[in-house]
C-alpha cells in the first residue's frame, strides 16, 4: 500500500524500504480542454544538486534534450508531447547505488513548454501527481497529488530526493512549489543559466 503524502511532508525512502536501489518516479497530469487553441506540452526534468543545493552545469540537468546524467544514475525515459491517457505521462529512473557522492539532492520539476507564447499556466492543469515505485518489484511506495493550488505558475518543483545527514540513506519531500517564468526561472532557482 503506497503512502499518500501532502505538501511539505518528508519520508525515509531507502531506510524504510531496505533493498530499494532502483526507483522510478512517475509524473502525470491532465490539461483542461479550454486551452485557447494550443496543445499543452508539459516536460519533466531533474536537477542534480551539490552540497550548496545548486546544479553546476548542463550535466546536472536531466530533461528531454539530456536524458542521462550522474554516471547513468538518473535517466529520463523520454518526452511525452501530449499527456494523453491514464497513468504516468513521463518517468525518471533513479539508481541510488550509482549516484555520485557529490550529488546531495535531486529536484524533480514539471514545466509547460512555450507557456508564455501559448498563454498557458498550471491553472489549466489538473490531477497532477508524482508517484515513486520500485523498478524491480513494481511496488508503488508513495504518491503525492498536487491539488489545484496553482494559477499563474508555468513551472512547479514537485518533489525532491535528498540524502540524510550521514549521506547514506535517501529521503523524499513533497514540495509543490510553483514558479512564474517557466524553465528559465526554475534553472535560475537551481543555479543554472538557461539562456
Amino acid at each position: 500500500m503506497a503512502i499518500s503524502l501532502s505538501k511539505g511532508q518528508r519520508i525515509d525512502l531507502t531506510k524504510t524500504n531496505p533493498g530499494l536501489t532502483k526507483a522510478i518516479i512517475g509524473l502525470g497530469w491532465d490539461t483542461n480542454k479550454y486551452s485557447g487553441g494550443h496543445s499543452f506540452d508539459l516536460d519533466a526534468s531533474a536537477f542534480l544538486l551539490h552540497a550548496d543545493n545548486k546544479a553546476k552545469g548542463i550535466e546536472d540537468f536531466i530533461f528531454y534534450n539530456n536524458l542521462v546524467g550522474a554516471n547513468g544514475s538518473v535517466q529520463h525515459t523520454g518526452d511525452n508531447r501530449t499527456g494523453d491517457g491514464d497513468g504516468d505521462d513521463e518517468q525518471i529512473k533513479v539508481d541510488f547505488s550509482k549516484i555520485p557522492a557529490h550529488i546531495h539532492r535531486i529536484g524533480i520539476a514539471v514545466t509547460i513548454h512555450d507557456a508564455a507564447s501559448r498563454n498557458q499556466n498550471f491553472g489549466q492543469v489538473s490531477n497532477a501527481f508524482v508517484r515513486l515505485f520500485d523498478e524491480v518489484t513494481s511496488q508503488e511506495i508513495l504518491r503525492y497529488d498536487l491539488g489545484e493550488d496553482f494559477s499563474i505558475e508555468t513551472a512547479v518543483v514537485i518533489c525532491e530526493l535528498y540524502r540524510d545527514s550521514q549521506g547514506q540513506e535517501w529521503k523524499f519531500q513533497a514540495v509543490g512549489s510553483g514558479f512564474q517564468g517557466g524553465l528559465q526561472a526554475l534553472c535560475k532557482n537551481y543555479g543554472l543559466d538557461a539562456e
Side-chain angles (χ1 to χ4, degrees):
M1 181 70 188
I3 297 171
S4 183
L5 298 176
S6 52
K7 183 172 178 166
Q9 258 187 305
R10 303 166 185 253
I11 66 162
D12 286 315
L13 264 184
T14 53
K15 194 175 188 176
T16 54
N17 297 282
L20 175 68
T21 55
K22 293 183 176 185
I24 296 180
I25 299 163
L27 301 132
W29 49 78
D30 294 321
T31 55
N32 298 345
K33 297 304 174 213
Y34 59 85
S35 65
H38 296 284
S39 58
F40 276 82
D41 179 10
L42 275 68
D43 298 309
S45 55
F47 293 86
L48 309 177
L49 309 176
H50 298 242
D52 62 356
N53 285 331
K54 299 292 182 194
K56 301 302 180 196
I58 188 70
E59 67 279 0
D60 294 335
F61 178 36
I62 311 306
F63 68 116
Y64 58 83
N65 274 341
N66 183 34
L67 293 174
V68 181
N71 300 338
S73 62
V74 180
Q75 178 183 353
H76 192 302
T77 60
D79 191 11
N80 173 344
R81 291 173 183 258
T82 64
D84 290 342
D86 294 332
D88 301 340
D89 290 309
E90 293 193 7
Q91 292 182 333
I92 295 171
K93 296 181 174 188
V94 177
D95 185 339
F96 294 110
S97 68
K98 287 185 181 174
I99 298 173
H102 67 270
I103 301 298
H104 289 248
R105 187 176 287 263
I106 301 170
I108 305 291
V110 174
T111 55
I112 302 174
H113 186 69
D114 286 341
S117 65
R118 295 178 182 183
N119 202 20
Q120 296 172 342
N121 58 55
F122 272 93
Q124 299 159 315
V125 175
S126 55
N127 304 321
F129 69 87
V130 61
R131 68 189 190 104
L132 185 142
F133 61 98
D134 187 322
E135 183 178 355
V136 177
T137 66
S138 296
Q139 180 181 352
E140 189 171 300
I141 296 169
L142 61 86
R143 181 181 178 103
Y144 167 43
D145 292 292
L146 265 72
E148 313 296 322
D149 299 342
F150 305 102
S151 55
I152 56 174
E153 294 84 358
T154 54
V156 177
V157 175
I158 294 190
C159 62
E160 290 187 341
L161 308 173
Y162 63 99
R163 293 185 193 267
D164 68 5
S165 55
Q166 286 79 42
Q168 303 304 311
E169 303 288 349
W170 284 87
K171 299 182 178 206
F172 178 100
Q173 179 178 6
V175 177
S177 178
F179 290 82
Q180 288 178 265
L183 190 57
Q184 209 169 345
L186 201 56
C187 285
K188 190 174 180 186
N189 174 65
Y190 282 128
L192 295 177
D193 182 358
E195 290 300 323

